[in-house]
């Protein structure tokens, strides 16, 4: 029916299985097109104004990490692209450990991306199916037992595939 859409992984779809583009997305797309941006290629690490704004959003504009030049930001084409670039970086340059711990469950492409980069994939408890929430106690217990130097993969928000996030106080 016109008032229902199917929402799963990927785009919204109508009853005929065709992608449904939200009116807000169409409006934003038109506004961007009306700006008539040039078609210049982005530099190898992205558009500088974009990467600067992204870092300020992530860390806070007045964060010491940024003011002291302790951060490097690279723009990628997608979350999967970012994960692949990050995995290749860690595989080549991070010497303490090649062990990457991902939450259980995790998105299906995470394990192969890390393994393809030469990293050893392990897991830690994250989702509690009994509460449909974050397994805070289990995650902390598992993290506390990881070898020093291990890498813990955290989804900053909207954990994929569960959508479950730690509460703000749990991040502390």
């Amino acid at each position: 029916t016109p008032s229902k859409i199917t929402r799963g992984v990927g785009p919204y779809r109508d009853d005929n299985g065709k992608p449904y583009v939200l009116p807000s997305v169409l409006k934003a797309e038109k506004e961007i097109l009306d700006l008539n941006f040039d078609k210049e290629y982005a530099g190898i690490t992205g558009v500088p104004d974009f990467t600067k704004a992204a870092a300020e959003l992530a860390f806070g504009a007045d964060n010491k990490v940024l003011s002291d030049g302790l951060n490097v930001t690279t723009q990628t084409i997608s979350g999967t692209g970012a994960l692949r670039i990050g995995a290749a970086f860690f595989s080549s340059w991070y010497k303490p450990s090649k062990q990457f711990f991902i939450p259980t469950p995790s998105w299906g492409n995470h394990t192969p991306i890390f393994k393809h980069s030469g990293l050893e994939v392990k897991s830690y408890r994250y989702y509690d199916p009994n509460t449909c929430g974050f397994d805070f106690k289990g995650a902390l217990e598992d993290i506390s037992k990881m070898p020093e130097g291990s890498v813990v993969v955290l989804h900053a928000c909207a954990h994929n595939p569960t959508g479950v996030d730690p509460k703000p106080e749990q991040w502390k």
Side-chain angles (χ1 to χ4, degrees), residues 10-28:
Y12 290 100
R13 298 201 178 272
D14 64 18
D15 288 339
N16 298 315
K18 299 292 183 193
Y20 173 77
V21 181
L22 297 170
S24 58
V25 172
L26 293 172
K27 181 180 176 191

Side-chain angles (χ1 to χ4, degrees), residues 9-153:
V9 175
Y12 290 100
R13 298 201 178 272
D14 64 18
D15 288 339
N16 298 315
K18 299 292 183 193
Y20 173 77
V21 181
L22 297 170
S24 58
V25 172
L26 293 172
K27 181 180 176 191
E29 183 178 60
K30 183 179 180 337
E31 288 178 15
I32 290 170
L33 286 174
D34 289 347
L35 292 172
N36 199 28
F37 287 119
D38 63 33
K39 305 299 185 253
E40 186 63 61
Y41 282 102
I44 195 164
T45 58
V47 177
D49 288 344
F50 177 82
T51 58
K52 181 179 185 289
E56 288 176 354
L57 177 65
F59 292 105
D62 58 350
N63 190 292
K64 193 168 174 54
V65 168
L66 299 179
S67 63
D68 290 356
L70 302 174
N71 175 66
V72 175
T73 301
T74 298
Q75 183 178 350
T76 66
I77 59 169
S78 64
T80 298
L83 202 63
R84 181 63 178 95
I85 289 170
F89 177 85
F90 272 92
S91 182
S92 295
W93 301 104
Y94 186 68
K95 301 304 177 199
S97 175
K98 298 297 181 211
Q99 291 186 348
F100 262 53
F101 286 82
I102 63 174
T104 301
S106 197
W107 197 238
N109 63 359
H110 293 174
T111 296
I113 286 170
F114 291 133
K115 284 185 175 181
H116 185 263
S117 296
L119 301 168
E120 181 183 350
V121 180
K122 297 186 176 254
S123 63
Y124 64 94
R125 286 176 281 176
Y126 185 90
Y127 180 72
D128 183 349
N130 295 318
T131 64
C132 295
F134 177 49
D135 184 356
F136 184 61
K137 183 179 176 188
L140 288 182
E141 184 179 312
D142 289 353
I143 290 169
S144 73
K145 294 177 182 175
M146 293 174 188
E148 189 169 329
S150 298
V151 176
V152 179
V153 177

